[in-house]
Amino acid sequence: MAPYRYKALRNGEIRLLDLSAGETSSQLSCRIVHCSIDDPPLFEALSYTWGPPGDSHTISCDNEDICVTVNLKSALLRLRSPVLQRKLWIDQICINQDELQERNEQVALMGDIYRKAQQVLIWLGEEDEDSRFGLNYVQILLAELQPVFDNGVGEIKFSDLIKALGMPAIKGGAWNALGRIFERTWFRRLWVVQEAALAAVATVMCGSQTVPWQDLVKVCQCQVGSHDPEHEAHSSMLAIETQRERHDRCLQSPFINILLLCSDFNCTDPRDKIFGLLGLTTDAGDPMLAPDYSLSVQEVYGKVTRFLMTRDKSLAVLCDVKEPKSLQGLPTWTPDWSIPLATQKTLGSRLRGRYNAAQSTQASAQFSDDLRTLFLDGVVVDSIRALGDILLPLPFHHLKILPQWESMLQSAQPYPTGEDSTTVLWRMLIADNGIRGVKSDQYHRDLYNSWHNINERNFSAVNKIKSEWTPLLDQDTLNTRAVEFHAAMVEVCVGRRIFITKQGYVGLGPSHTRENDMICIFHGGPVPFLVSQYNTISEYDLVGECFIHGLMSGEALAKDNLELQRFALR
């Protein structure tokens, strides 16, 4: 048969697939119909992974051949009814993938498509012994735990509850089989976030087995914090469920929050890190975010960065710039949305709204026509005089680094704010936590004292030094406080390095910070930023955000001797 020839869609139209009834052994057959997205017939939408692009099969569509991937063919064979026609929307078939303009228009409609589907069918792939074992256990588990879910999960520790009920331990065979289901590639695919989150009803299919989405969510809640760390799909599934709950409650997330929440999901085309999430935000109708596959990745990422700056009149998005970047050719001021951004939380997003380095100024960002250069107003407030070592994500590495950092702080006394070195140190280690006040200060100082006390003991043990160690408090309280401070310190400091400025301030900067980097306050910037001068007097590279104790609340702009200038970031 001849290859399938798509008929052009009119404005606001989509295609639906009528999957013909048939026995298991018969050839797959279907036809394609057009309908309005505003008034479609009842249909179901498929959420799945395409699979390897080179491995494909043909199916009969309107007496012509259409190519589909092996995984999609498997799904269609499972979806086909022996007696009834089934109406489906499937991106691989219902969008003419060879027509660029159509792809742009249909991708922009995908949020509406999944929102209007009678049901979203989530295809995980063919079943195996593990999936059969694990999914059969789902119903057993939920039958025992349903009263708990009916009364609200609260702070229940499921591992203790399961033990009390006499059920298999969370590390047992059935649980391991469930964990391997969550490792399937569907749970890592970026497109599935909006496909599942927008579904009125979602059903998970694995071969011949089906389970309601919400049942799998409950099982996932049981396993979080109890399973092996490599089963990362638990967090992926709960990220999707977070978006589902927000959608059900008609709550909208800022697009930047969605980008950060979903940065760990994968997609083949890095442009889809933007286009694949537009159905989740009310910003999707803005022309600057319209899907356009004729643009390069660099252009798409530049456009979304420009959108976030101009819409909010804020430079908070610059806090998400990380090095090294995976994509070549991005300007220094453009975040690389293709890489996981959650590996190191940004100061500006971690404590968004807590810092106010630029006071009430608004960003006046302007861009070159090719989106290669960003022009900002701001002031240079200081530069870097000395650098400490980078805190690495290694066990006990802080015990090696901390003495150096403490020594550098001593050299910066007296401090410009008049505070003692211990106060400056604990505030810097947790980026001041964005909170000020007598009670808050005392609370965090107590956490730091416990952490420092534990470090004294651990330093002696790691370096095999005999010493008399005296705990400040009872051991349980000491450990609890130390663990809380350590977690906050790790979140802030790992991957960063301490620096001393020429005016005697202490701060934290990215690992690639260098001596003589300039500290700037840009209008509309929540935090100070580091820049390095390029080959002309007015061109700069953005190094990244930084924390500087004593300059996070607009103190720098209160000085009289600062000269406003125009920066060209390349």
Side-chain angles (χ1 to χ4, degrees), residues 141 144-149 153 156-168 170 222:
L141 174 68
E144 295 287 346
L145 294 181
Q146 193 58 50
V148 177
F149 288 107
V153 173
I156 293 171
K157 188 175 181 182
F158 280 102
S159 56
D160 293 342
L161 180 61
I162 286 163
K163 183 178 179 181
L165 290 171
M167 301 177 71
I170 284 183
C222 294

Side-chain angles (χ1 to χ4, degrees), residues 87-285:
K87 198 174 291 290
L88 301 163
W89 188 89
I90 303 172
D91 61 347
Q92 197 176 139
I93 297 175
C94 295
I95 299 176
N96 183 354
Q97 303 293 332
D98 296 326
E99 178 57 48
L100 195 63
Q101 185 57 34
E102 180 180 307
R103 280 178 64 198
N104 295 339
E105 294 167 356
Q106 292 292 294
V107 166
L109 293 176
M110 281 179 66
D112 287 335
I113 291 170
Y114 281 91
R115 200 178 285 110
K116 293 187 176 186
Q118 183 183 20
Q119 176 179 214
V120 171
L121 303 162
I122 296 169
W123 172 252
L124 301 184
E126 284 297 344
E127 60 195 273
D128 56 25
E129 187 176 348
D130 266 344
S131 68
R132 286 190 290 270
F133 188 23
L135 291 178
N136 287 337
Y137 186 57
V138 168
Q139 302 311 317
I140 299 171
L141 174 68
L142 294 181
E144 295 287 346
L145 294 181
Q146 193 58 50
V148 177
F149 288 107
D150 290 343
N151 293 325
V153 173
E155 298 297 322
I156 293 171
K157 188 175 181 182
F158 280 102
S159 56
D160 293 342
L161 180 61
I162 286 163
K163 183 178 179 181
L165 290 171
M167 301 177 71
I170 284 183
K171 292 285 186 179
W175 288 100
N176 290 338
L178 275 170
R180 283 187 282 275
I181 290 172
F182 289 124
E183 291 173 357
R184 291 189 175 226
T185 54
W186 183 90
F187 292 97
R188 304 304 307 152
R189 178 175 174 260
L190 180 121
W191 283 99
V192 309
V193 180
Q194 72 170 8
E195 294 168 0
L198 299 177
V201 177
T203 301
V204 178
M205 302 174 59
C206 190
S208 62
Q209 293 180 289
T210 62
V211 59
W213 167 268
Q214 290 302 328
D215 285 357
L216 215 55
V217 169
K218 292 171 183 176
V219 171
C220 186
Q221 290 172 335
C222 294
Q223 288 193 296
V224 167
S226 312
H227 217 284
D228 296 332
E230 61 267 22
H231 293 160
E232 298 175 358
H234 295 122
S235 59
S236 300
M237 189 162 185
L238 293 182
I240 297 170
E241 181 60 18
T242 296
Q243 291 302 318
R244 272 185 65 85
E245 290 173 355
R246 292 189 65 84
H247 176 256
D248 290 346
R249 293 161 58 194
C250 298
L251 299 175
Q252 291 295 330
S253 297
F255 193 48
I256 182 66
N257 289 5
I258 296 171
L259 285 173
L260 296 176
L261 179 70
C262 300
S263 67
D264 286 340
F265 289 86
N266 302 324
C267 54
T268 304
D269 187 335
R271 293 172 293 188
D272 288 337
K273 278 292 185 102
I274 308 300
F275 301 153
L277 298 171
L278 291 177
L280 297 171
T281 176
T282 53
D283 296 327

Side-chain angles (χ1 to χ4, degrees), residues 331-347:
T332 61
W333 53 269
T334 303
D336 185 352
W337 304 109
S338 72
I339 61 175
L341 298 177
T343 51
Q344 181 191 67
K345 289 192 176 180
T346 65
L347 300 173

